[in-house]
């Protein structure tokens, strides 16, 4: 049986020692006095811990033992592409001591990497040029919608509407709204694809663009993509590719060849950068044709002997302060070197095989349903557990918690919004077929128990560091505790201090 | 290709296809229009997979194309060379942390959640603010998010920013808010390099959404009347935002005590290498005022209990976020900089309450020492008499470009060039007395 560690570990702010320090500050003998004006001089030291190096190490190592990552077990999170992160990537820190504003001549190696990556990512997406400014996918989306905004503004026209598929990632509408667009959702049809009739009726001279991912969040390829592109282009709208799902077709088909004009990439998904517990990621925003001149700067170009930073003509500006997340760009670079042309070209195929293999294993499991079962999925699949919930009271949420008990991370649940009780599974190309078998067995076991002994599933998890958490208490205004400082203040006011 | 260490099923393809019920891989892609299918390999990477040995060789080649400097560069301007304790790399290398996803399943991610809660809590103590989210991309992004928060709260369209703002932060801010019809107005600086606060009496406050001040400002100068700005903003229903260098708070009065609504900055200083510009960590903090908290973007970890009464941690206030609210969300952020925030937590734990003061003092003293030595040797003089932290604006007697080239030829990277004669010089605890002396002597020789 799988079991996670539990330490009754205090917060680092609760360590009681005094007068200790975990790091020695270098000192020089200099004849300088500190003469700060009183109006800005700190009057009392911040309430930081007083602990030794060993206490810090032991504390955080214990916390790591109560955490779960890809190196702990399979993480079949749909649309998140949690593939294995090759360890050689961690040797890529060649730029750790390099300042982003150093003279260009002194950083030619870094600029060469950026130049190569721009080229490779443009090739992978079928675009003309990429900017590596964006520190993550959503920042790429913001860049993309701002590029569309500026494009239309430059042509002196008002385009207030942004079309978004109803199954889209939440970032799409959120990014569009940040750029000041009015979001219009395009419904999916019963096959899970963009409803062409709805789209035709919606496209107008007020549409700035269409944000779409292909394969879509159901893992289905939008087979009408060229017609969609023609339709959007017929009003001079911009077709935007949400690169979150690129892993399902990488090496098989390219957004550029389908008619997309702008693409963002999540290097922490498709190109192997570890997710870091939520970040840092890294990204790229790529464009073709007339849209390239709107890319955020800098982009790296090559003159006779040197790599130089340049600014596209109509650039939207800068999305991040310096060069984006260069440290992670290096990890991605190493990942690409390690796979080479042939390996990279196999990713879409292998992740698609893995997904359809899982589907084959789960197809006839009692309680699960699959929309458009005759269609092959690409890198992910969405099952609905609605029938199970109706018949047993066991929900997608319960299945997720029960998977944790079996040493698997949970799939993405309740997404996309157009599927009830959704379980969105993405196995990726890096799990062995034996692990896929075990995962399928775990799901089957959970569903069988849901019918025979539902309480054993609805009370899960049992084998994790803690049990189900009280979300009401966590979010209630009277018990909301976002920091230790808030807790201290609340306790002291309860005591009447 | 029938074998690769990162693609385990290459040798099991036939068995898997059989289970699926198709004959060949291409059958799985029959829904892709024929003219969209790529009929060649992608020209991505080199023509064959490189072995680890070859990858290391390639990394070495790249490193050789970068110039090795004798000392850390005397560069700041938004990214600061500092010493990074080895404990940090060791802890970040725990792969349970670095290969984790956003902790949406809290029961199995208590350690990461607690660590992020600790980041929020330690940063809150340093800033004396109540609520800190668990990270944004960088200082510029946090500033933009803070300005957008202000816009959502009061709906006004003007933003006041100082003339002495970091120009790169201003560029990021301008890009991020370019979809909104907001107007940026600059508060001028006076002859001493600090904000000209008389300007505030000349503007009509009812159109102003937020006011931003940077402490120390881009030129390293310490603003001495920032408390006045926070008071003025409060009286006029304006959101006050302050941008701070976290380490300086070992000596400088924190944003909370000064009365600001929002504090922003970059966690890069707290245990993160320069990384040629990223990953860094955009810090964003507010007071415990639900009007502010409800508009706060980004993930927040909160303390709660599990079903058995054990203390536990989970993401809170998720209804603000894009996956729940979609176009009505407070921001589009998903991937953040959690691991960098964790590094900041480890760093602040190591330094502790005394270490942070000692470090800030040492940086203050070294940077003032460097200025004094440059002036002693008559290489030039300070631009402003006002006090400063870590960075100062220096006016060279002769053309700075020549001095800069001369330094570089000797493996020393000078400061950030502002114009023909002026540069921003940054000195921290990584610049030894010897490094400072070498800078001074070399500058003297080449000027």
């Amino acid at each position: 049986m799988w079991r996670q560690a539990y330490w009754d570990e205090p917060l680092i702010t609760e360590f009681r020692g005094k007068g200790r320090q975990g790091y020695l500050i270098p000192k020089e003998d200099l004849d300088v006095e500190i003469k700060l004006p009183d109006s800005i001089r700190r009057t009392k030291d911040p309430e930081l811990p007083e602990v030794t190096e060993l206490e810090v190490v032991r504390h955080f190592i214990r916390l790591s033992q109560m955490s779960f990552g890809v190196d702990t077990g399979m993480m079949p999170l749909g649309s998140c592409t949690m593939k294995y992160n090759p360890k050689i990537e961690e040797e890529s820190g060649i730029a750790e001591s390099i300042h982003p504003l150093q003279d260009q001549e002194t950083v030619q190696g870094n600029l060469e990497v950026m130049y190569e990556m721009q080229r490779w990512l443009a090739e992978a997406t079928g675009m003309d040029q990429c900017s590596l400014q964006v520190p993550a996918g959503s920042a790429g989306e913001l860049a993309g919608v701002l590029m569309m905004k500026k494009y239309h503004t430059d042509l002196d026209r008002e385009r207030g509407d942004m079309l978004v598929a109803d199954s889209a990632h939440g970032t799409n509408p959120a990014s569009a709204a940040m750029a000041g667009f009015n979001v219009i959702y395009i419904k999916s049809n019963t096959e899970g694809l963009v409803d062409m009739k709805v789209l035709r009726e919606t496209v107008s001279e007020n549409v700035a663009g269409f944000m779409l991912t292909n394969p879509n969040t159901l893992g289905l390829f939008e087979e009408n993509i060229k017609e969609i592109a023609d339709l959007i282009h017929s009003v001079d709208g911009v077709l935007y590719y949400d690169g979150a799902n690129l892993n399902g077709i990488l090496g098989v088909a390219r957004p550029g060849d389908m008619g997309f004009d702008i693409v963002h990439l999540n290097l922490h998904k498709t190109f192997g950068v570890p997710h870091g517990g939520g970040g840092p990621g890294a990204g790229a925003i790529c464009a073709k044709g007339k849209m390239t001149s709107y890319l955020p700067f800098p982009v790296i170009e090559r003159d006779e002997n040197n790599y130089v930073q340049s600014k596209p003509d109509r650039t939207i500006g800068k999305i991040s302060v310096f060069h984006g997340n260069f440290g992670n760009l290096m990890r991605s670079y190493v990942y690409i070197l390690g796979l080479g042309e042939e390996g990279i070209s196999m990713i879409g195929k292998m992740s698609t095989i893995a997904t359809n293999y899982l589907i084959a294993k789960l197809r006839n499991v009692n309680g699960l349903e699959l929309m458009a079962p005759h269609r092959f999925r690409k890198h992910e699949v969405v099952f609905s557990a609605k029938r199970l919930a109706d018949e047993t009271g066991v929900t997608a949420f319960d299945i997720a918690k029960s998977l944790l008990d079996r040493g698997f991370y949970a799939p993405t649940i309740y997404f996309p919004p157009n599927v009830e009780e959704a379980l969105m599974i993405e196995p990726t190309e890096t799990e062995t077929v034996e692990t896929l078998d075990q995962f399928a067995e775990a799901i089957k076991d959970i569903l069988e128990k849901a019918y025979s002994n539902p309480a054993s599933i609805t009370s899960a998890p049992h084998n994790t560091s803690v049990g189900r958490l009280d979300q009401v208490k966590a979010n209630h205004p009277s018990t909301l505790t976002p920091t230790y400082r808030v807790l201290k203040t609340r306790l002291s006011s309860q005591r009447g201090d | 290709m029938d074998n690769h260490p990162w693609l385990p099923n290459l040798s099991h393809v036939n068995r898997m296809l059989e289970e699926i019920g198709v004959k060949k891989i291409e059958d799985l892609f029959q829904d892709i229009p024929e003219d969209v299918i790529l009929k060649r390999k992608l020209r991505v990477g080199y023509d064959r997979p490189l072995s680890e040995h070859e990858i290391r060789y390639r990394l070495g080649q790249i490193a050789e194309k970068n110039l090795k400097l004798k000392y850390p560069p005397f560069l700041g301007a938004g990214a600061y060379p500092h010493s990074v304790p080895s404990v940090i790399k060791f802890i970040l290398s725990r792969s349970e942390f670095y290969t984790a996803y956003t902790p949406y399943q809290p029961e199995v991610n208590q350690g990461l959640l607690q660590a992020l809660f600790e980041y929020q809590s330690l940063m809150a103590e340093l800033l004396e603010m109540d609520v800190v989210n668990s990270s944004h991309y960088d200082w510029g992004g946090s500033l933009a998010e803070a300005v957008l928060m202000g816009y959502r709260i009061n709906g006004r369209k003007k933003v006041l920013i100082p003339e002495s703002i970091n120009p790169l932060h201003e560029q990021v801010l301008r890009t991020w808010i370019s979809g909104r019809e907001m107007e940026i107005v600059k508060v001028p600086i006076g002859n001493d390099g600090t904000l000209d606060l008389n300007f505030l009496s000349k503007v009509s406050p009812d159109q102003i959404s937020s006011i931003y001040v940077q402490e120390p400002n881009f030129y390293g100068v310490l603003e001495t009347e920032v408390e006045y700005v926070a008071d003025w903003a409060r009286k006029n229903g304006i959101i006050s935002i302050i941008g701070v260098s976290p380490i300086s708070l070992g000596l400088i009065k924190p944003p909370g005590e000064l009365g600001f609504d929002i504090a922003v900055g970059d966690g890069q200083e707290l245990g993160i290498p320069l990384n040629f510009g990223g990953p860094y960590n955009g810090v964003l903090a507010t007071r415990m005022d639900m009007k502010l908290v409800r508009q706060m973007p980004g993930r927040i970890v909160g303390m709660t209990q599990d079903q058995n009464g054990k203390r536990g941690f989970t993401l809170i206030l998720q209804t603000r976020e894009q996956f729940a609210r979609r176009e009505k969300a407070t921001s589009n952020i998903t991937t953040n900089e959690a691991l960098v925030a964790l590094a900041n937590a480890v760093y602040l734990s190591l330094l502790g309450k005394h270490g942070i003061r000692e470090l800030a003092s040492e940086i203050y003293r070294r940077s003032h020492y460097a200025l004094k030595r440059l002036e002693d040797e008559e290489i030039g003089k300070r631009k402003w008499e006002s006090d400063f932290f870590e960075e100062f604006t220096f006016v060279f007697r002769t053309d700075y470009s020549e001095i800069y080239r001369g330094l570089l030829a000797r493996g020393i990277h000078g400061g950030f060039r502002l114009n023909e004669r002026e540069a921003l010089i940054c000195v921290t605890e990584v610049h030894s007395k010897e490094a400072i002396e070498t800078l001074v002597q070399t500058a003297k020789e080449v000027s």
Side-chain angles (χ1 to χ4, degrees):
Chain A
M1 186 184 69
W2 185 81
R3 197 157 183 101
Q4 190 176 27
Y6 173 71
W7 296 91
D8 190 8
E9 186 66 14
L11 291 166
I12 194 81
T13 37
E14 292 170 334
F15 280 56
R16 289 281 159 246
K18 290 280 169 210
R20 298 190 181 116
Q21 196 165 314
Y23 190 62
L24 195 63
I25 307 300
K27 301 239 170 89
E28 290 276 21
D29 184 17
L30 307 168
D31 183 23
V32 175
E33 267 181 75
I34 298 176
K35 296 178 287 197
L36 284 170
D38 285 345
S39 66
I40 54 163
R41 192 172 186 133
R42 187 159 197 145
T43 47
K44 59 179 199 309
D45 287 336
E47 288 298 319
L48 297 179
E50 297 173 66
V51 289
T52 58
E53 183 175 323
L54 174 60
E55 286 175 281
V56 171
V57 169
R58 203 170 273 162
H59 173 71
F60 285 100
I61 295 303
R62 286 177 172 186
L63 293 187
S64 77
Q65 292 177 338
M66 293 193 281
S67 294
F68 191 106
V70 175
D71 286 0
T72 318
M74 179 180 175
M75 298 189 78
L77 272 166
S79 274
C80 301
T81 313
M82 295 296 288
K83 57 175 77 176
Y84 171 65
N85 313 117
K87 299 307 157 198
I88 180 75
E89 290 178 11
E90 297 308 303
E91 291 182 35
S92 64
I94 58 165
E96 284 182 353
S97 63
I98 297 181
H99 194 285
L101 297 174
Q102 264 180 233
D103 197 285
Q104 291 196 100
E105 277 176 34
T106 71
V107 294
Q108 285 295 306
N110 291 358
L111 297 183
E112 183 176 315
V113 168
M114 291 177 77
Y115 182 81
E116 280 192 306
M117 284 296 279
Q118 284 175 189
R119 251 185 3 172
W120 290 343
L121 298 176
E123 158 76 1
T125 53
M127 295 282 128
D128 295 328
Q129 180 61 292
C130 296
S131 163
L132 305 169
Q133 262 284 296
V134 301
S138 63
E141 287 184 23
L142 180 64
V145 288
L146 292 173
M147 287 164 70
M148 294 189 219
K149 184 126 192 160
K150 189 147 197 283
Y151 170 69
H152 293 300
T153 306
D154 281 359
L155 292 171
D156 216 10
R157 61 194 188 196
E158 288 274 329
R159 293 281 178 116
D161 295 342
M162 184 63 70
L163 307 185
V164 175
D166 64 349
S167 62
H169 302 118
T171 44
N172 288 181
S175 301
M178 271 176 102
F181 287 109
N182 171 39
V183 175
I184 297 181
Y185 290 101
I186 301 296
K187 222 164 62 70
S188 306
N189 62 22
T190 51
E191 292 277 286
L193 302 176
V194 169
D195 190 322
M196 293 304 292
K197 186 164 172 284
V198 173
L199 185 65
R200 266 183 232 111
E201 284 162 4
T202 315
V203 168
S204 75
E205 295 283 332
N206 199 34
V207 167
F210 187 14
M211 301 179 82
L212 194 62
T213 184
N214 196 14
N216 66 25
T217 52
L218 293 171
L220 297 169
F221 192 88
E222 298 281 355
E223 60 192 12
N224 301 315
I225 188 60
K226 297 199 82 172
E227 196 186 339
I228 293 172
D230 289 345
L231 202 52
I232 299 301
H233 292 154
S234 71
V235 292
D236 198 23
V238 180
L239 192 59
Y240 181 90
Y241 186 89
D242 172 347
N245 291 357
L246 184 72
N247 210 57
I249 54 161
L250 185 66
V252 176
R254 307 188 303 171
D257 301 334
M258 301 173 202
F260 285 92
D261 306 294
I262 306 178
V263 172
H264 89 251
L265 293 176
N266 312 68
L267 301 184
H268 50 281
K269 295 185 180 182
T270 315
F271 292 95
V273 177
H275 284 233
I285 178 85
C286 308
K288 82 178 175 199
K290 63 198 175 201
M291 296 313 296
T292 54
S293 56
Y294 291 89
L295 285 170
F297 73 93
V299 293
I300 311 306
E301 286 181 6
R302 196 175 177 169
D303 67 13
E304 277 163 43
N305 303 309
N306 287 302
Y307 295 97
V308 293
Q309 304 184 31
S310 85
K311 204 173 184 173
D313 295 347
R314 315 232 28 103
T315 180
I316 53 162
K318 283 178 82 69
I319 288 289
S320 61
V321 176
F322 299 110
H323 298 110
N325 283 348
F326 184 84
N328 275 347
L329 187 72
M330 283 303 304
R331 287 180 169 81
S332 195
Y333 182 76
V334 165
Y335 173 80
I336 290 174
L337 293 185
L339 281 165
E341 290 184 348
E342 202 171 346
I344 290 287
S345 298
M346 284 305 284
I347 287 174
K349 288 176 183 159
M350 296 312 294
S351 64
T352 296
I353 291 175
T355 304
N356 289 284
Y357 179 81
L358 253 187
I359 294 171
K361 291 269 169 185
L362 294 174
R363 189 183 291 282
N364 297 315
V365 175
N366 193 18
L368 291 186
E369 287 164 308
L370 188 59
M371 188 196 258
H374 55 283
R375 285 180 178 274
F376 291 118
R377 265 55 182 181
K378 296 301 170 282
H379 67 153
E380 67 194 6
V381 56
V382 182
F383 287 99
S384 168
K386 173 144 195 322
R387 206 172 79 222
L388 182 83
D390 289 346
E391 289 171 3
T392 67
V394 172
T395 62
F397 182 86
D398 299 321
I399 297 173
K401 298 303 177 199
S402 221
L403 275 166
L404 302 180
D405 268 347
R406 289 158 170 79
F408 293 99
Y409 199 80
T412 300
I413 50 174
Y414 301 105
F415 183 81
N418 54 344
V419 176
E420 285 182 272
E421 294 293 332
L423 285 166
M424 185 189 209
I425 302 170
E426 180 178 1
T428 82
E429 72 281 6
T430 64
E431 295 296 341
T432 62
V433 64
E434 292 81 11
T435 305
L436 300 179
D437 288 341
Q438 286 162 8
F439 179 73
E441 286 308 314
I443 297 246
K444 281 187 208 167
D445 181 50
I446 292 166
L447 275 105
E448 273 166 29
K449 289 214 166 60
Y451 282 100
S452 63
N453 177 12
S456 70
I457 304 301
T458 53
S459 62
H462 305 279
N463 305 336
T464 49
S465 305
V466 298
R468 284 196 193 188
L469 289 152
D470 188 340
Q471 294 292 343
V472 175
K473 190 183 172 94
N475 288 290
H476 194 275
S478 67
T479 44
L480 190 73
T481 312
T483 58
Y484 192 65
R485 192 178 175 84
V486 168
L487 181 68
K488 278 190 299 186
T489 309
R490 189 166 64 233
L491 293 178
S492 107
S493 80
Q494 280 167 5
R495 283 195 308 264
D497 296 358
Chain B
M1 184 181 253
D2 51 14
N3 221 328
H4 190 283
W6 309 340
L7 298 172
N9 298 327
L10 285 173
S11 48
H12 297 263
V13 167
N14 290 336
R15 180 182 140 201
M16 293 172 84
L17 291 177
E18 199 176 319
E19 181 78 32
I20 297 166
V22 295
K23 291 206 175 59
K24 50 188 197 306
I25 296 178
E26 288 67 31
D27 294 346
L28 299 173
F29 296 97
Q30 63 198 212
D31 48 353
I32 301 185
E34 177 60 23
D35 53 348
V36 167
I37 294 268
L38 189 70
K39 296 183 186 69
R40 58 170 175 80
K41 274 184 286 188
L42 284 173
R43 295 183 197 100
V44 173
Y46 298 144
D47 56 359
R48 63 184 177 81
L50 299 192
S51 66
E52 290 203 356
H53 177 75
E54 292 165 310
I55 291 172
R56 271 185 212 108
Y57 180 77
R58 174 71 189 130
L59 290 172
Q61 276 185 323
I62 298 161
E64 268 171 39
K65 292 180 187 177
N66 293 330
L67 187 75
K68 277 206 180 50
L69 298 170
K70 220 170 180 170
Y71 305 107
F74 291 88
L75 274 173
Y80 298 89
H82 288 291
S83 157
V84 176
S86 56
V87 168
I88 292 182
K89 193 158 191 176
F90 177 80
I91 287 167
L92 295 196
S93 302
R94 288 297 293 205
S95 64
E96 299 92 331
F97 283 141
Y98 87 78
T99 70
Y101 192 69
T102 304
Y104 288 134
Q105 299 291 341
E107 298 85 356
V108 81
N109 259 322
Q110 280 303 296
L112 175 64
L113 283 159
Q114 180 171 336
L116 292 173
F117 181 83
E118 291 180 359
Y119 159 78
Q120 293 170 188
S121 297
L122 294 168
M123 200 57 94
E125 296 300 338
L126 188 62
L127 297 164
E128 295 212 1
M129 299 294 269
D130 305 308
V131 189
V132 181
N133 73 16
S134 72
S135 77
H136 279 279
Y137 308 125
D138 57 25
W139 187 328
S142 286
L143 170 58
E145 293 275 25
V147 166
L148 289 169
M149 263 175 87
Y151 177 75
R152 288 194 298 274
I153 289 170
N154 58 30
R156 301 176 186 173
K157 298 212 161 152
K158 277 188 190 164
V159 186
L160 296 187
I161 65 169
E163 211 172 54
S164 49
I165 186 177
N166 183 320
L168 297 169
H169 298 169
E170 182 184 340
Q171 283 174 346
V172 172
L173 172 65
R174 283 186 187 273
T175 308
W176 278 58
I177 67 170
S178 63
R180 302 280 176 191
E181 284 155 4
M182 295 185 84
E183 184 193 344
I184 288 178
V185 179
K186 287 203 174 170
V187 181
I189 54 173
N191 292 331
D192 62 351
T194 65
L195 285 170
D196 175 9
L197 295 174
N198 290 327
F199 182 82
L200 298 185
S201 60
K202 294 177 209 147
V203 295
S204 152
D206 46 328
Q207 296 300 310
I208 298 167
S209 175
S210 57
I211 180 165
Y212 173 64
V213 291
Q214 189 183 328
E215 173 82 330
N217 73 24
F218 179 65
Y219 302 107
V221 167
L222 286 163
E223 299 286 350
T224 50
E225 304 298 328
V226 273
E227 206 156 0
Y228 174 85
V229 175
D231 287 343
W232 176 82
R234 194 178 314 112
K235 281 183 200 127
N236 291 295
I238 295 165
I239 301 295
S240 56
I241 308 167
I242 186 168
V244 292
S245 139
I247 289 179
S248 75
L249 298 178
L251 283 175
I252 309 287
K253 212 177 256 187
E257 198 181 333
L258 292 166
F260 279 82
D261 294 317
I262 305 175
V264 297
D266 205 310
Q268 179 268 325
E269 296 173 27
L270 308 175
I272 296 300
L274 288 166
N275 285 329
F276 198 47
Y280 291 174
N281 171 20
V283 177
L284 186 77
T286 70
R287 293 185 288 106
M288 187 67 194
D289 171 344
M290 287 314 285
K291 174 188 77 182
L292 292 163
V293 176
R294 267 193 285 272
Q295 290 304 330
M296 194 171 196
R299 299 206 177 93
I300 307 171
V301 177
M303 187 191 280
T304 184
Q305 286 179 331
D306 80 349
Q307 58 197 11
N308 308 311
K310 253 193 229 173
R311 182 157 81 183
F313 300 88
T314 186
L315 296 173
I316 55 170
L317 303 172
Q318 291 190 75
T319 48
R320 300 163 299 118
E321 296 189 61
Q322 47 74 33
F323 60 86
R325 288 293 299 282
R326 302 177 81 76
E327 74 274 17
K328 293 188 180 67
T330 50
S331 161
N332 71 345
I333 190 165
T334 51
T335 293
N336 58 10
E337 307 280 323
L339 200 68
V340 182
L342 169 62
N344 292 169
V346 177
Y347 186 81
L348 288 172
S349 304
L350 287 169
L351 250 66
K353 70 191 289 185
H354 306 299
I356 189 87
R357 179 171 20 89
E358 278 179 27
L359 178 63
S361 305
E362 189 67 15
I363 291 169
Y364 179 99
R365 291 167 69 248
R366 288 192 194 196
S367 54
H368 283 71
Y369 177 79
L371 171 66
K372 182 171 168 294
R373 290 292 301 126
L374 284 163
E375 286 187 334
D376 286 350
E377 298 294 332
E378 297 180 348
I379 294 160
K381 58 181 177 39
R382 72 180 75 189
K383 175 147 182 175
W384 288 296
E385 285 302 320
S386 304
D387 204 0
F388 63 91
F389 179 81
E390 197 165 36
E391 272 179 300
F392 54 87
T393 309
F394 197 73
V395 186
F396 289 85
R397 259 192 317 117
T398 56
D399 186 350
Y400 175 61
S401 298
E402 271 178 45
I403 297 173
Y404 170 84
R405 305 250 46 109
L407 288 169
L408 205 52
R410 290 160 179 79
I412 299 165
H413 202 297
F416 180 76
R417 183 179 186 275
L418 293 168
N419 57 46
E420 268 171 29
R421 300 266 308 279
E422 296 173 6
L424 259 181
I425 310 285
C426 172
V427 181
T428 76
E429 85 284 4
V430 297
H431 300 103
S432 62
K433 195 172 176 181
E434 182 222 313
I436 296 168
E437 280 309 326
T438 314
L439 171 77
V440 172
Q441 292 310 325
T442 315
K444 195 175 172 186
E445 278 164 34
V446 299
S447 62

